[in-house]
């Protein structure tokens, strides 16, 4: 069964806001505010990503303005309180993703690394765009009709022998109805439909 074709390149923001190593603290804060983003990649040379400055990298300046760090795990955080340039503030190496990665892969990286945005880089590490959590959710804006068409052509039609089931898609929820003689197909069918981008849930009402 053919999986959905969506990759990071389909949903990412191609025009990304970025800074150089010498960008100042205030300049970075102004950019985050102006562009309504939570992080910006740091570039060097012709556009190679060497790090990322996020809101979390900027907050120690306020957090430790008057108080010294009290816990060992606050020391690294507190060291950024005196930083004034991007190269001192940035988290490096940057957590990145490739444009041909699946949306699931990007979501796993974000969850594992606890970041909200990922620079999208090519094989040379050059910036091609940025993908955010909200970008990954864009697939759930797919019209029900589009999801319906993909299930018919890329899931049900590819079963051997083809399965003819009645089904409906409402707000991304797929409901299948009808007879299915081969019960072993049920988990396979459910998994294949859930793999279609934009599907919120799958409900089986099979005989």
């Amino acid at each position: 069964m053919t999986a959905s074709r969506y990759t990071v390149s389909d949903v990412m923001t191609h025009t990304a806001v970025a800074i150089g190593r010498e960008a100042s603290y205030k300049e970075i804060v102004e950019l985050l505010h102006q562009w309504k983003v939570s992080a910006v990649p740091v570039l060097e040379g012709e556009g190679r990503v060497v790090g990322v400055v996020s809101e979390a990298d900027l907050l120690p300046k306020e957090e430790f303005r008057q108080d010294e760090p009290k816990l060992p795990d606050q020391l690294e955080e507190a060291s950024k309180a005196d930083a004034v340039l991007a190269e001192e503030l940035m988290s490096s190496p940057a957590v990145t993703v490739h444009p041909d990665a699946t949306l699931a892969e990007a979501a796993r990286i974000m969850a594992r690394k606890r970041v909200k945005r990922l620079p999208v880089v090519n094989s040379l590490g050059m910036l091609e765009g940025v993908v955010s959590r909200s970008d990954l959710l864009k697939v759930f804006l797919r019209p029900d009709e589009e999801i319906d068409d993909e299930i018919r052509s890329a899931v049900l039609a590819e079963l051997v022998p083809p399965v003819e089931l009645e089904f409906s898609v409402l707000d991304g929820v797929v409901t299948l109805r009808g007879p299915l003689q081969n019960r072993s197909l049920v988990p396979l069918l459910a998994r294949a439909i859930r793999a279609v981008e934009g599907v919120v849930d799958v409900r089986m009402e099979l005989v």
Side-chain angles (χ1 to χ4, degrees), residues 3-5 142 146-155 196:
S4 295
R5 305 164 301 282
R142 291 184 78 187
E146 193 175 309
I147 296 171
D148 183 299
D149 290 342
E150 183 168 342
I151 292 172
R152 292 183 192 279
S153 61
V155 179
V196 174

Side-chain angles (χ1 to χ4, degrees), residues 51-73:
V52 171
V53 177
S54 69
E55 292 169 333
D57 296 314
L58 299 168
L59 280 176
K61 192 171 289 295
E62 184 61 34
E63 182 182 356
F64 300 105
R65 181 179 297 280
Q66 295 177 320
D67 300 327
E68 294 293 323
K70 296 179 176 62
L71 301 174
D73 59 358

Side-chain angles (χ1 to χ4, degrees), residues 195-206:
V196 174
E197 300 290 2
V199 170
V200 175
D201 192 19
V202 180
R203 297 173 183 173
M204 300 286 199
E205 297 178 6
L206 303 176

Side-chain angles (χ1 to χ4, degrees), residues 56-142:
D57 296 314
L58 299 168
L59 280 176
K61 192 171 289 295
E62 184 61 34
E63 182 182 356
F64 300 105
R65 181 179 297 280
Q66 295 177 320
D67 300 327
E68 294 293 323
K70 296 179 176 62
L71 301 174
D73 59 358
Q74 291 181 321
L75 292 174
E76 182 179 352
E77 207 178 332
S79 67
K80 294 189 177 183
D82 296 327
V84 293
L85 298 178
E87 62 183 1
E88 302 164 335
L89 290 158
M90 69 183 185
S91 298
S92 183
V95 180
T96 62
V97 69
H98 291 292
D100 58 354
T102 66
L103 303 191
E105 288 170 338
R108 280 194 291 270
I109 294 172
M110 286 185 186
R112 191 170 64 248
K113 298 296 185 178
R114 298 181 181 180
V115 296
K116 299 177 182 179
R117 298 166 61 83
L118 293 171
V120 183
V121 300
N122 62 19
S123 58
L124 299 176
M126 309 294 280
L127 184 68
E128 294 198 353
V130 171
V131 65
S132 67
R133 290 174 178 176
S134 61
D135 290 329
L136 297 184
L137 295 175
K138 287 177 183 175
V139 292
F140 292 105
L141 298 176
R142 291 184 78 187

Side-chain angles (χ1 to χ4, degrees), residues 24-75:
S24 70
Y25 185 99
K26 188 168 184 177
E27 181 184 348
I28 298 167
V29 174
E30 288 173 344
L31 277 174
L32 296 184
H33 177 73
Q34 178 185 349
W35 293 95
K36 304 291 190 293
V37 294
S38 58
V40 286
V42 181
L43 310 182
E44 71 174 8
E46 296 181 357
R48 187 168 64 87
V49 178
V50 292
V52 171
V53 177
S54 69
E55 292 169 333
D57 296 314
L58 299 168
L59 280 176
K61 192 171 289 295
E62 184 61 34
E63 182 182 356
F64 300 105
R65 181 179 297 280
Q66 295 177 320
D67 300 327
E68 294 293 323
K70 296 179 176 62
L71 301 174
D73 59 358
Q74 291 181 321
L75 292 174

